[in-house]
Amino acid sequence: MQRKEYFDIIEQPEMLDYGVYLQCDKLLACQKPLNDLCTADELQFQIVHQVEELWMKLMAFSLVEILDYMKAKQSHRILTLFKRVHALQRMMIEQLDVLETMSPKEYQQIRLQLGNGSGQESPGFRLLLKIPPDLWEHFETYYLDEGALSVQQIYDDEYSHDERYAVAEALIEFDELFQRFRWRHLFLINRSIGISAKSLKGRPVDLLKRGASQQFFPELWNVRSEMTDSWGSEHGVKRSSISGKS
Ligand code: HEM
């Protein structure tokens, strides 16, 4: 077959029931026509971004469901949905590998197509940033009994590995994976345009490190250092060697 024939099949798929239900015609028309790509790598650049937008849509939808289940204290549902969200987050991190198969030169060609577009304009990402304060507020109301219980009690004083603890750990897993995505994305930038570059809006890329260090649920992170301090004050910060050699 000739190249054009292959392209025709990719761009105008035969629409059987599978394609009708999934709207494959519309989905496969969301990328630039193959003959208009500025370089062959542009197709993967568009597809990775589009796929990640779809995963963020599903994550946001699942997190909103989690908010409803928190109100009803349906912990099993919450944990199952968080499992889905965490799997999506891990996939989003892993999928950035695809973009590292692109050479810096080819990315410079693609970059000429982007106007002054910025990942900070991503609708999925912007929505995801809005949800964590509500997650924390719901956790405090429904799992910390409106503040009557402290995170410290759940993790240390009254630790029993109960549903409060399990939901708290699901929240911190979400927070950690979100930060890991942002740090992984910084490595991707370093591989493609360099960390000392400026964004297409003229901002230093380095500024992204601030976002990557953002914690959604600082109370859940802080409790660990507080425990180390309090166990340290009781049992000693510096301990004796158990081998007697160090
Ligand atoms: C070669 C590939 C990529 C490069 C060179 C790149 C570059 C950049 C740069 C320079 C910024 C800062 C923008 C600004 O200050 O206005 C940024 C932000 C961002 N990009 Fe990318 N990006 C790439 C791929 C991706 C992909 C695949 C995603 C998928 C969702 C993504 C999502 C984001 C997000 C969410 C932000 C905002 C991050 C934050 O505020 O912490 N980027 N990107």
Side-chain angles (χ1 to χ4, degrees):
M1 274 205 294
Q2 299 298 307
R3 186 182 163 85
K4 181 180 168 339
E5 290 172 85
Y6 283 124
F7 278 15
D8 284 349
I9 296 172
I10 297 171
E11 291 191 314
Q12 287 147 32
E14 191 186 1
M15 292 287 281
L16 302 176
D17 282 13
Y18 174 92
V20 169
Y21 176 72
L22 294 174
Q23 302 189 52
C24 288
D25 50 347
K26 287 192 197 143
L27 186 65
L28 297 172
C30 287
Q31 298 77 44
K32 259 190 178 178
L34 301 178
N35 281 323
D36 294 351
L37 296 171
C38 72
T39 152
D41 278 6
E42 194 177 8
L43 183 60
Q44 56 104 37
F45 184 82
Q46 279 201 325
I47 288 180
V48 173
H49 279 83
Q50 289 174 341
V51 166
E52 300 244 320
E53 276 309 321
L54 289 177
W55 291 141
M56 287 190 279
K57 178 176 178 177
L58 182 54
M59 272 169 65
F61 180 73
S62 307
L63 290 170
V64 172
E65 275 195 285
I66 287 174
L67 288 174
D68 286 340
Y69 285 123
M70 277 181 155
K71 275 188 204 145
K73 274 194 93 171
Q74 289 204 25
S75 306
H76 287 109
R77 288 275 199 176
I78 292 168
L79 295 176
T80 303
L81 283 168
F82 260 128
K83 194 170 175 193
R84 181 179 302 163
V85 170
H86 301 151
L88 293 169
Q89 289 180 286
R90 288 200 179 84
M91 259 194 309
M92 283 191 64
I93 295 168
E94 198 156 310
Q95 284 167 6
L96 296 182
D97 287 1
V98 179
L99 288 172
E100 288 184 350
T101 62
M102 172 177 65
S103 73
K105 168 103 184 227
E106 249 136 356
Y107 182 56
Q108 291 298 338
Q109 289 169 306
I110 295 168
R111 210 168 179 239
L112 296 175
Q113 317 295 310
L114 308 179
N116 66 11
S118 151
Q120 282 174 332
E121 295 164 357
S122 150
F125 191 76
R126 289 166 88 120
L127 174 57
L128 284 174
L129 288 177
K130 288 188 203 295
I131 301 176
D134 289 344
L135 284 170
W136 185 252
E137 200 239 342
H138 279 53
F139 181 72
E140 276 190 318
T141 307
Y142 301 104
Y143 282 85
L144 296 182
D145 303 346
E146 297 183 355
L149 265 173
S150 69
V151 172
Q152 195 273 349
Q153 282 170 292
I154 291 169
Y155 274 78
D156 200 6
D157 275 5
E158 292 166 30
Y159 169 71
S160 65
H161 209 115
D162 58 4
E163 57 185 335
R164 301 175 205 273
Y165 173 80
V167 172
E169 282 297 287
L171 285 168
I172 205 168
E173 180 88 358
F174 169 75
D175 200 350
E176 176 176 334
L177 288 167
F178 207 93
Q179 288 174 57
R180 276 210 241 162
F181 172 81
R182 284 171 129 175
W183 285 111
R184 173 67 189 88
H185 170 261
L186 272 164
F187 277 101
L188 170 64
I189 296 183
N190 210 2
R191 280 284 286 271
S192 49
I193 56 173
I195 203 71
S196 55
K198 287 205 167 57
S199 75
L200 289 166
K201 299 211 186 289
R203 292 189 280 253
V205 166
D206 213 41
L207 284 179
L208 291 178
K209 286 186 185 154
R210 224 179 282 162
S213 305
Q214 182 187 358
Q215 295 176 343
F216 291 137
F217 313 120
E219 288 87 340
L220 295 182
W221 294 102
N222 293 343
V223 73
R224 291 145 218 271
S225 351
E226 286 158 16
M227 282 171 68
T228 307
D229 288 345
S230 90
W231 282 64
S233 64
E234 197 176 334
H235 302 281
V237 173
K238 202 176 153 195
R239 315 261 163 91
S240 311
S241 160
I242 52 170
S243 70
K245 293 180 183 161
S246 55

